[in-house]
Amino acid sequence: AKTRLLITLAGLTMLGAQSDTQIRMTVRHLREAGATRDEIAETISMMSVFAGLPSMTRAMELAQDVLDGAEDDDA
């Protein structure tokens, strides 16, 4: 499940990170599937080669928002 979700995140990033809700939901599901912050960040950053820096940056911002919010929920 984790691998499929990482591939989904890569695809959403390649689409120009226009699907805010889908990216956020995928990141949440990735955390539930056991993905680390580094795995999520590396997946998004690898897509900069194919999708460009603006798409990568937007996806990273969305993922960071979710990851930061998850930490707040745990506290």
Side-chain angles (χ1 to χ4, degrees):
K2 182 173 81 170
T3 302
R4 285 191 298 270
L5 287 166
L6 288 169
I7 292 168
T8 300
L9 181 60
L12 290 169
T13 301
M14 294 233 351
L15 289 173
Q18 298 173 10
S19 306
D20 293 12
T21 302
Q22 290 85 348
I23 289 174
R24 291 174 199 264
M25 187 174 14
T26 301
V27 171
R28 279 190 209 103
H29 290 152
L30 273 162
R31 291 298 285 170
E32 291 169 5
T36 65
R37 294 174 70 94
D38 286 344
E39 289 173 322
I40 293 168
E42 288 172 13
T43 298
I44 294 170
S45 64
M46 283 177 23
M47 292 303 102
S48 67
V49 175
F50 305 105
L53 289 175
S55 294
M56 181 212 69
T57 302
R58 180 67 182 145
M60 197 70 79
E61 289 170 353
L62 293 168
Q64 191 65 45
D65 286 346
V66 172
L67 295 172
D68 289 346
E71 287 178 2
D72 292 342
D73 292 343
D74 291 340

